[in-house]
Amino acid sequence: MTLTKADLAKHLDEEIGLTNREAKEIVEYYFQMVANSLVKGEQVKISGYGNFTLHDKKERPGRNPRTGEEVPVSARRVVTFHCGQKLKARVEKHAKKEHQDEQT
């Protein structure tokens, strides 16, 4: 299953009682804030969830997998996500439970 912005808005609508339009605006505003912070070069920390950080990668040699030809991979800035301890523990707990269910 994939969780989309529309799913998030639907949950806000159902759980909090916002209108569908209000919920969509809040979800869109949230992601816009995260994106704007990253564009400014700021790290985004979400307590209990994780961190979005920026990394500058240098130009490096690469290879075209189809032809084997060497091609330079240009320098770029990438966003990475590092899971927080609370989220990691919750995911691991759920994974262990699923694994136990499969063995019974």
Side-chain angles (χ1 to χ4, degrees):
M1 181 182 141
T2 301
L3 181 65
T4 64
K5 287 182 184 180
D7 294 330
L8 292 171
K10 182 179 175 185
H11 287 293
L12 282 174
D13 181 12
E14 293 170 354
E15 296 295 321
I16 300 175
L18 299 173
T19 66
N20 191 27
R21 184 172 159 259
E22 290 171 332
K24 284 180 180 180
E25 286 176 3
I26 289 171
V27 169
E28 192 59 43
Y29 181 73
Y30 170 77
F31 284 106
Q32 197 63 40
M33 285 179 57
V34 170
N36 288 343
S37 293
L38 291 168
V39 166
K40 291 178 192 174
E42 300 170 349
Q43 182 174 340
V44 177
K45 293 183 178 188
I46 303 171
S47 180
Y49 186 72
N51 302 321
F52 293 93
T53 56
L54 292 168
H55 294 281
D56 292 317
K57 291 193 166 189
K58 297 178 182 178
E59 183 174 306
R60 61 183 174 81
R63 187 175 309 275
N64 181 330
R66 195 175 316 166
T67 64
E69 176 187 355
E70 284 198 18
V71 179
V73 177
S74 61
R76 62 197 186 279
R77 178 172 274 181
V78 296
V79 177
T80 59
F81 175 75
H82 295 280
C83 186
Q85 291 299 317
K86 289 180 184 178
L87 178 59
K88 187 175 185 178
R90 189 171 177 186
V91 170
E92 287 175 356
K93 181 180 176 183
H94 182 73
K96 285 180 184 177
K97 182 181 176 196
E98 282 187 351
H99 182 67
Q100 289 172 351
D101 290 346
E102 288 175 0
Q103 291 185 351
T104 57

